[in-house]
Amino acid sequence: MTRLVYFAWVRERIGKSEEDLDLPASVETVGDLLAHLRTLGEEYEAALEFPDAIRVAINQEHAERHERIAGAREIGLFPPMTGG
Amino acid sequence: MPVPSILRPIVSVQREDIDTRAIVHALTDGRTDVGALVTFTGLCRDEAGRLEALELEHYPGMAEAELTRIGEEAIGRFALLGLAIVHRYGRMEPSDQIVLVAATSSHRQAAFDGANFVMDYLKTSAPFWKKEHGRDGTEGGWVAARDADDTARLRWKQD
C-alpha cells in the first residue's frame, strides 16, 4: 500500500486529503501514477485534468515525471505552490 | 580538535504570529562576527479592498523539510552566518505577517542576496497554497502561481 496525500484544489476536487492505494505493478513512474489515478473516477479525472499543472512529491521531496515510485511511503499531489 | 558544526537554518512552520524580535535576538545575541542583518517580512495585502482574508494551507512535514533544504543551500552559497525562515499557515487578514526570512553575514551583500534567494525559492518550491476569501463573502478561490515567480527564481541559476 502506498499513502497518497492531496493538497489545495487537488484535495478539494478528489474530495479527500489522503488515502492508501494498492498500485498495480505496471505503475512504475510518477507519470504512470498520474495516468493511473485518472482512471479511478471522475473526481480524479477532474483533479488531474491538466496533468502538467500537478506537482508531485515522493517521501516529501519534489519528484519529476520520470522518477520511479518503487518503495515510496508517501506520495503527495498538489498544484503549483503559492506561499510566501 | 572539535569538528566544526554545520550551520543549520532555524526553520519554523507555525499558526502563531511571527516574533521577529526573538528571531533577530537568536541570530545576533553575542555574535561579534556578524556585520549585517537583513530581515524580509511578507504581509497579507487587501488587494485594493477586495480581500477579507487568506487561508494558507501547507504540507506538514514537507514544508519544514523544503524550507530547511532551501535554507541550507542559501547558507552554503552566500556563506551566511545565520538564517531563519518562519512561515505561517491558517487564516490571515490584511496587514498580518505571513513569512519572515532573516539572514546574517559579515558584510551586507551576502545577507541581502541570501534573504532574496530564499524568498525566490520558497515561492516556487515550498509547499504552501493560498486561498482567498472576498469581502463580499465569496470564496475567491485558490491563488494561481505567477510566471514572475518562476522568472525570479531562474536568475539565481548557476552554470
Side-chain angles (χ1 to χ4, degrees):
Chain A
M1 297 285 258
T2 308
R3 166 141 301 196
L4 279 288
V5 291
Y6 310 119
F7 295 94
W9 54 254
V10 174
R11 170 179 55 72
E12 289 181 343
R13 289 183 192 177
I14 291 179
K16 51 187 126 182
S17 56
E18 59 179 62
E19 63 185 326
D20 291 313
L21 288 183
D22 242 332
L23 298 172
S26 59
V27 176
E28 294 183 349
T29 65
V30 168
D32 294 343
L33 173 68
L34 291 176
H36 171 70
L37 290 174
R38 285 183 73 171
T39 67
L40 298 185
E42 60 186 23
E43 64 275 31
Y44 293 88
E45 182 67 43
L48 307 175
E49 179 185 8
F50 304 105
D52 289 350
I54 305 296
R55 302 287 179 266
V56 178
I58 298 177
N59 298 337
Q60 307 194 344
E61 278 196 60
H62 292 295
E64 303 293 335
R65 292 295 188 268
H66 65 269
E67 287 184 45
R68 303 180 66 83
I69 61 170
R73 296 182 308 277
E74 180 177 289
I75 301 179
L77 273 71
F78 41 81
M81 291 140 281
T82 54
Chain B
M1 221 171 90
V3 179
S5 63
I6 295 163
L7 180 60
R8 306 247 314 162
I10 298 169
V11 167
S12 177
V13 175
Q14 61 189 48
R15 190 179 281 281
E16 316 83 72
D17 197 11
I18 300 167
D19 187 348
T20 302
R21 234 162 165 0
I23 294 287
V24 166
H25 276 297
L27 291 176
T28 59
D29 279 1
R31 293 297 298 260
T32 54
D33 54 337
V34 168
L37 160 72
V38 166
T39 67
F40 168 83
T41 302
L43 306 169
C44 178
R45 278 187 303 268
D46 73 354
E47 304 292 357
R50 184 174 57 76
L51 189 90
E52 166 86 20
L54 281 178
E55 192 74 36
L56 258 290
E57 179 170 335
H58 74 298
Y59 184 164
M62 181 173 172
E64 291 85 348
E66 190 64 23
L67 293 179
T68 301
R69 284 190 279 269
I70 295 167
E72 285 174 344
E73 193 174 340
I75 287 168
R77 184 153 164 184
F78 302 99
L80 300 177
L81 296 174
L83 177 66
I85 310 173
V86 184
H87 203 303
R88 296 179 67 199
Y89 62 88
R91 184 186 162 92
M92 261 139 269
E93 294 179 358
S95 89
D96 283 351
Q97 305 187 97
I98 301 174
V99 61
L100 169 74
V101 175
T104 55
S105 57
S106 306
H107 299 279
R108 73 180 184 284
Q109 207 61 53
F112 273 125
D113 287 349
N116 212 352
F117 172 93
V118 167
M119 279 309 300
D120 283 347
Y121 271 71
L122 179 159
K123 280 272 180 188
T124 51
S125 75
F128 292 88
W129 302 272
K130 293 190 182 106
K131 187 177 210 174
E132 296 187 335
H133 295 275
R135 284 186 77 172
D136 54 3
T138 57
E139 202 173 83
W142 295 95
V143 173
R146 298 166 67 234
D147 289 342
D149 290 333
D150 289 321
T151 310
R153 176 188 176 126
L154 283 176
R155 69 197 164 116
W156 299 102
K157 214 164 160 73
Q158 291 171 321
D159 295 327

